[in-house]
Amino acid sequence: TLFRSTVVLKLLKEDIGDKYDWRSVFNKIDQISEYKPFEGGSGHINGLRVTVTAKHVRVTGSLSKHFRGTNLDSLTLSQVEKAIKQLGKDLGVPMVKADVERVDIAENFEMSCPPEFYISKMLTFGASYPNRWEKDTIYFPASSDGVVLRFYDKSKEVRRKRKKNNHTGSLSKGVGQNLLRYEICFGQKKIRQMFGHQLKAKDLYNKEVFWSFISEWLCSYDEIGILPDKLFDVSFEQIKTQSDFEDWCICVANSVVGLPAFVKGRFSARERNLDEPNGRKMDRQDRQYHKRIQDKIRGAIRHFSSVMGQPDLIKELVGKIEAYLTDKFENSPDAYDVREDSASVK
């Protein structure tokens, strides 16, 4: 999932050292332009856009595309580490020390129908708005921090690029015909809020950081609302057990405030001191309890979505997302292990 899409890394002169020579870096890239008003220029290196000035080096683009040549494939954390360190070697600067200004998390899902079918269903969700220029793209504002979710037809984008590059024929076996892409962009403000400090490029191959982004990716999808309009048409038979009633109350609260985001915000703002005795243990317990709350919310929403009905296309998408995350959680090289005593990001 991580780094299929865009990352923005900014390495400051003070993090490089007194021997920094912007022109030496500039000479290592495929140059596009040299700035006239001040020292610097821009260009590309292996698919990444690079801007160089006397004060910083900024890199923008997909690490997956840089490392693999395509952003259809995701990178493992070890591959992310190799990509960042190789980029530093190619440019002759310590990119592991760069500030992370933006991270996009994205995944492609091969669906049974064309992506526009799912996008048209999502347009019925109140918080959504379509892209003015691309009719097959839809956005959802995920929070007040400027985080936005994006869904679009990835297979159409691939076909468009193939046509531009004069490639003919059908898509390769590795490229599904109905690829729906789910993408979320984290800006610098949101990253600081999530982690309490500025992330460095070396943090991007830290497993704890990785799973924080994945958790946010999932919770943000939950926020857009997948409940049917018939929530208040509930019968007594549907809420006559305490468990059913609790689930229904959770769904009602979610329709008002967006519970995943609300709980997550309270969790992020909690008081914690990792330097105190048992501080790290309490922090891990908080994280596990937060996950249980989020699981309870998702279970309640799933319960009443199944009882009251939900478009089959949306059910399919939810199932794909949940199956993907379960596999990533349990079977990927970066699978989450609750027994790990992960060191906090410094």
Side-chain angles (χ1 to χ4, degrees), residues 5-11 25-26 28-35 38 40-53 56-63 65-66 87 91 95 101-102:
S5 202
T6 302
V7 295
V8 179
L9 306 175
K10 183 178 180 180
L11 182 61
V25 179
F26 187 54
K28 290 180 171 67
I29 65 177
D30 299 322
Q31 301 170 9
I32 294 178
S33 63
E34 184 170 345
Y35 303 143
F38 55 89
S42 64
H44 293 90
I45 185 167
N46 297 331
L48 296 173
R49 180 173 178 82
V50 181
T51 302
V52 184
T53 72
H56 69 259
V57 178
R58 177 184 274 115
V59 177
T60 304
S62 167
L63 288 179
K65 190 175 291 185
H66 170 73
L87 176 61
L91 295 176
M95 286 306 300
E101 293 193 326
R102 171 180 164 185

Side-chain angles (χ1 to χ4, degrees), residues 47-98:
L48 296 173
R49 180 173 178 82
V50 181
T51 302
V52 184
T53 72
K55 295 183 177 180
H56 69 259
V57 178
R58 177 184 274 115
V59 177
T60 304
S62 167
L63 288 179
S64 178
K65 190 175 291 185
H66 170 73
F67 189 78
R68 290 180 174 272
T70 174
N71 66 357
L72 290 173
D73 300 314
S74 58
L75 300 182
T76 63
L77 295 185
S78 63
Q79 289 171 333
V80 171
E81 180 178 7
K82 290 177 182 177
I84 292 174
K85 289 181 176 179
Q86 184 59 51
L87 176 61
K89 288 181 181 179
D90 293 342
L91 295 176
V93 291
M95 286 306 300
V96 293
K97 297 181 179 180

Side-chain angles (χ1 to χ4, degrees), residues 4-279:
R4 284 179 187 267
S5 202
T6 302
V7 295
V8 179
L9 306 175
K10 183 178 180 180
L11 182 61
L12 301 176
K13 177 182 178 180
E14 48 263 39
D15 290 324
I16 301 174
D18 295 334
K19 294 182 180 180
Y20 172 58
D21 176 12
W22 75 267
R23 190 166 289 281
S24 173
V25 179
F26 187 54
N27 289 336
K28 290 180 171 67
I29 65 177
D30 299 322
Q31 301 170 9
I32 294 178
S33 63
E34 184 170 345
Y35 303 143
K36 299 300 181 183
F38 55 89
E39 294 183 321
S42 64
H44 293 90
I45 185 167
N46 297 331
L48 296 173
R49 180 173 178 82
V50 181
T51 302
V52 184
T53 72
K55 295 183 177 180
H56 69 259
V57 178
R58 177 184 274 115
V59 177
T60 304
S62 167
L63 288 179
S64 178
K65 190 175 291 185
H66 170 73
F67 189 78
R68 290 180 174 272
T70 174
N71 66 357
L72 290 173
D73 300 314
S74 58
L75 300 182
T76 63
L77 295 185
S78 63
Q79 289 171 333
V80 171
E81 180 178 7
K82 290 177 182 177
I84 292 174
K85 289 181 176 179
Q86 184 59 51
L87 176 61
K89 288 181 181 179
D90 293 342
L91 295 176
V93 291
M95 286 306 300
V96 293
K97 297 181 179 180
D99 292 338
V100 179
E101 293 193 326
R102 171 180 164 185
V103 173
D104 289 6
I105 303 295
E107 186 54 62
N108 300 321
F109 295 99
E110 188 168 355
M111 311 305 292
S112 62
C113 298
E116 59 262 29
F117 288 18
Y118 304 85
I119 292 170
S120 66
K121 289 292 183 184
M122 291 180 187
L123 284 170
T124 63
F125 300 155
S128 69
Y129 58 95
N131 185 311
R132 186 177 304 175
W133 298 278
E134 300 176 48
K135 65 178 182 179
D136 294 321
T137 299
I138 186 171
Y139 293 97
F140 291 90
S143 70
S144 58
D145 303 309
V147 177
V148 175
L149 314 187
R150 180 187 183 205
F151 293 85
Y152 66 95
D153 187 340
K154 182 64 178 179
S155 46
K156 180 175 288 187
E157 179 188 86
V158 173
R159 286 191 291 269
R160 187 166 56 242
K161 289 182 178 179
R162 283 171 57 88
K163 184 177 180 180
K164 182 179 178 181
N165 295 325
N166 295 319
H167 291 278
T168 58
S170 60
L171 298 181
S172 65
K173 281 188 175 181
V175 181
Q177 296 290 336
N178 295 318
L179 286 184
L180 177 64
R181 189 176 182 89
Y182 167 33
E183 191 171 277
I184 181 171
C185 171
F186 300 97
Q188 203 164 16
K189 178 182 176 182
K190 180 62 179 179
I191 291 172
R192 280 185 175 276
Q193 182 196 61
M194 286 175 63
F195 299 101
H197 56 81
Q198 175 67 57
L199 285 188
K200 296 291 186 179
K202 64 183 177 66
D203 295 322
L204 295 179
Y205 42 87
N206 175 289
K207 187 178 285 190
E208 186 177 347
V209 171
F210 169 77
W211 278 104
S212 293
F213 278 126
I214 295 298
S215 175
E216 193 80 16
W217 182 81
L218 174 62
C219 289
S220 294
Y221 176 79
D222 287 341
E223 287 177 32
I224 67 177
I226 57 174
L227 287 172
D229 295 332
K230 297 185 293 181
L231 178 61
F232 292 97
D233 293 338
V234 63
S235 68
F236 180 74
E237 299 302 318
Q238 292 171 317
I239 58 171
K240 67 179 182 180
T241 70
Q242 180 176 332
S243 176
D244 289 343
F245 184 70
E246 287 175 354
D247 283 354
W248 182 74
C249 289
I250 288 172
C251 291
V252 171
N254 183 66
S255 70
V256 176
V257 298
L259 279 182
F262 178 82
V263 173
K264 182 175 60 186
R266 294 303 180 271
F267 170 73
S268 300
R270 74 193 187 283
E271 293 184 8
R272 56 176 177 162
N273 190 337
L274 300 180
D275 296 325
E276 288 184 354
N278 296 323

Side-chain angles (χ1 to χ4, degrees), residues 207-208 210-212 284 287-288 291 327-340 342:
K207 187 178 285 190
E208 186 177 347
F210 169 77
W211 278 104
S212 293
R284 288 196 301 274
R287 291 179 181 278
Q288 291 169 10
K291 182 181 183 301
D327 182 69
K328 178 72 75 174
F329 196 84
E330 297 177 352
N331 303 318
S332 77
D334 307 309
Y336 187 80
D337 188 346
V338 295
R339 296 168 299 180
E340 287 185 343
S342 301

